[in-house]
Amino acid sequence: MVPSLSNLARARQRLLFARGFLANPRGVGSVIPSSPRLVGRLLGGLDWSQVRHVVEFGPGTGVVTRALLARLGPDARVTAFEINPEFAAYLARDIADPRLTVVPASAETLASHVEPGVDVAVSSLPFSIMPRHVRTGILTATLEVLAPGAPFVGYQYSTAWLKELRRFFPDLSVRFEPRNWPPAFVFTAHR
Ligand SMILES: C[S@@+](CC[C@H](N)C(=O)[O-])C[C@H]1O[C@@H](n2cnc3c(N)ncnc32)[C@H](O)[C@@H]1O
């Protein structure tokens, strides 16, 4: 069971997130965490009941992570990659759930931390404003670890970069979610 956050915990989370944004605007990409609507749109299209292993990229302060854990069964696990050390420490401390492993490193290192056969990859990364070699490294590693046919879901604040994503994942669909700041495009791709 994943407990919901108190107002005080939510305020602390937002403050931490804004501090992370000010320290690294291009890495964090947004000044506030994703809205419940965006998180619902991101995770709502998949059947989580049979999912055993999820990799998450860019959990930040954990809005997506908490929602994921709430949907997953007791034997599932989430391996979350976060480059901001403050966010990674906060997550490891605040989400006391044995199904979650936080890796305080870039998602580029994915293939050295998890075995192939991953059921779902979930991304909150601001791919379009990352250096090209970083996003290429992450997408290559994602293809390497995902099970055949497994979904890769994520969101972006513009559609500009989706053409590049389609070169890695030709089977790609996109939906718009206006109820977030900034409004976002949610993608679902399959390996
Ligand atoms: C837009 S925030 C999303 C935070 C949260 N998941 C949400 O939806 O509110 C992007 C997150 O990706 C992290 N990040 C950026 N580049 C990364 C990388 N190469 N590997 C892992 N995390 C990264 C940032 O530190 C930040 O926490």
Side-chain angles (χ1 to χ4, degrees), residues 47-160:
D47 172 11
W48 296 94
S49 61
Q50 301 304 315
V51 170
R52 286 288 168 269
H53 190 193
V54 181
V55 291
E56 186 189 358
F57 309 152
T61 50
V63 287
V64 174
T65 319
R66 286 186 173 83
L68 257 176
L69 291 166
R71 284 169 164 81
L72 288 167
D75 299 327
R77 61 201 167 100
V78 177
T79 310
F81 293 79
E82 175 53 63
I83 49 166
N84 178 311
E86 259 199 291
F87 290 170
Y90 169 82
L91 288 171
R93 195 177 58 240
D94 259 55
I95 306 186
D97 189 317
R99 297 173 299 166
L100 174 66
T101 302
V102 180
V103 180
S106 170
E108 291 160 272
T109 66
L110 175 65
S112 59
H113 290 277
V114 305
E115 297 290 321
V118 168
D119 298 308
V120 186
V122 178
S123 170
S124 301
L125 297 178
F127 279 113
S128 61
I129 53 173
M130 281 178 167
R132 180 185 277 269
H133 73 274
V134 176
R135 54 185 196 243
T136 299
I138 295 169
L139 294 176
T140 306
T142 305
L143 281 170
E144 205 175 316
V145 304
L146 272 182
F152 173 36
V153 295
Y155 64 84
Q156 293 291 287
Y157 302 126
S158 94
T159 54

